Amino acid sequence: MKRKNLFHQKVAIITGAANGLGKALAILLARKECHLALLDIDAANLKKTGLLLDGYAINYTLHPVDVAQSEKVAEVREEILTVHKSIQFLFNCAGVSVTAPFLEQPKEDLHWLMGVNFFGSLNTCRAFLPELLKQEQSHILNVSSGLAFQGLPNRTAYTSSKYAIRGFSEALRAELFHTNVNVSCAFPGPIKTGMPDRSRVTDIAFLKKEIKYLAANGYDPEWVARVMLVGVSKNKSEILIGRQVRMAVLLKRLLPRFMSRIVGKYQNRLPV
């Protein structure tokens, strides 16, 4: 029996839609004839994403905005509702990275990263949740990371933001249990998104190593997006994406001390 298209003729907001995972998700949803409101600070690449959607039977709008600025997100909310009238899905895919030893991380970089990765999701949830609550059924998906279960050296800021998204999503799902709004959190492994090119680093050699690793071992963004949509369709609270993440979660839960010791002891041999 053919599975019902949960997204057909609905309206979805996607943050981080100019590149990588958000872009792939926009294309997949367009194929399902889901109308789209796309948000990203990268206006040039956001426009390119829009051009890829021109052949689909949907309405889409582009909104260049920094999701870290709550007042700007509130303004975009009014723009979106003026055109789309309602919202059924919110996909928070916007993300940035900082790679550096903790003591070498400028506090400005930490604030920048938390502003996008954590407060960006809070800002969009706060702005759009009132509208989602008006719908017969609606869904929020926040993208975290496999690092929300086990942090890595030189990723203290990034790991912290992803742990925060995990906790926020878990608490929000519980808070909205008796409502029509479902909440999922996705935990992908490494993805070929080009994020390292847009990250802030102190070690160029490490950056080159990371780019090489992702090119050889990163997951395809379209595959990750497809797994996320299946998870949303099944109303999963946690969407673990990739064998590496599932294995890491299992080891962390069964052997937490062992996992931490291995990561610490062999940190110089880790691929990223």
Side-chain angles (χ1 to χ4, degrees):
M1 188 173 79
K2 188 175 181 180
R3 179 182 294 175
K4 180 182 177 181
N5 183 356
L6 181 68
F7 308 99
H8 180 70
Q9 293 301 304
K10 298 298 193 299
V11 178
I13 295 171
I14 305 175
T15 71
N19 301 282
L21 182 58
K23 177 181 176 181
L25 184 60
I27 295 171
L28 280 182
L29 285 171
R31 292 174 186 167
K32 296 178 180 293
E33 297 187 352
C34 180
H35 305 299
L36 300 170
L38 307 180
L39 282 60
D40 203 295
I41 196 172
D42 185 350
N45 281 320
L46 186 63
K47 186 176 181 180
K48 292 179 181 178
T49 298
L51 293 175
L52 296 174
L53 305 177
D54 282 341
Y56 296 98
I58 64 166
N59 296 322
Y60 72 86
T61 54
L62 307 179
H63 307 272
V65 64
D66 181 359
V67 293
Q69 298 185 36
S70 58
E71 66 281 2
K72 297 297 183 183
V73 173
E75 292 174 6
V76 164
R77 175 186 182 276
E78 300 308 314
E79 295 175 8
I80 292 172
L81 289 176
T82 297
V83 177
H84 295 283
K85 308 304 179 185
S86 65
I87 304 161
Q88 287 78 38
F89 296 96
L90 171 60
F91 295 94
N92 282 312
C93 301
V96 293
S97 180
V98 171
T99 303
F102 174 65
L103 290 179
E104 296 179 16
Q105 293 176 13
K107 65 179 182 179
E108 294 80 7
D109 287 357
L110 175 60
H111 292 165
W112 168 71
L113 180 142
M114 292 300 291
V116 177
N117 290 9
F118 179 56
F119 286 103
S121 293
L122 265 66
N123 290 338
T124 55
C125 286
R126 185 181 296 275
F128 298 112
L129 182 56
E131 186 61 31
L132 293 171
L133 285 165
K134 297 177 183 178
Q135 310 306 311
E136 181 179 347
Q137 199 70 35
S138 56
H139 207 114
I140 297 170
L141 181 136
N142 297 320
V143 177
S144 179
S145 165
L147 296 190
F149 295 96
Q150 174 60 60
L152 292 181
N154 301 315
R155 296 297 185 85
T156 51
Y158 184 78
T159 298
S160 298
S161 71
K162 295 306 181 178
Y163 264 87
I165 285 295
R166 177 187 171 194
F168 169 65
S169 301
E170 185 177 285
L172 187 62
R173 182 179 175 93
E175 184 174 317
L176 297 175
F177 182 80
H178 294 292
T179 75
N180 58 314
V181 182
N182 297 314
V183 179
S184 298
C185 192
F187 302 93
I191 313 173
K192 298 176 183 178
T193 62
M195 182 184 289
D197 295 324
R198 303 185 298 275
S199 66
R200 297 183 181 182
V201 298
T202 59
D203 188 337
I204 300 301
F206 186 93
L207 175 62
K208 292 179 179 179
K209 179 182 177 183
E210 182 179 16
I211 292 173
K212 182 178 180 180
Y213 173 81
L214 290 176
N217 302 283
Y219 296 121
D220 179 72
E222 182 175 335
W223 177 78
V224 175
R226 191 179 301 116
V227 174
M228 292 197 313
L229 291 184
V230 171
V232 168
S233 298
K234 295 181 178 180
N235 191 22
K236 289 187 175 181
S237 58
E238 293 185 345
I239 305 172
L240 305 179
I241 305 175
R243 183 175 59 185
Q244 295 161 299
V245 173
R246 292 194 298 272
M247 181 62 69
V249 170
L250 181 63
L251 288 174
K252 184 68 173 181
R253 287 173 174 169
L254 295 178
L255 302 166
R257 291 184 63 188
F258 171 79
M259 188 70 171
S260 296
R261 288 187 65 180
I262 289 297
V263 170
K265 184 175 181 179
Y266 296 102
Q267 58 182 279
N268 293 329
R269 302 183 189 180
L270 296 174
V272 293

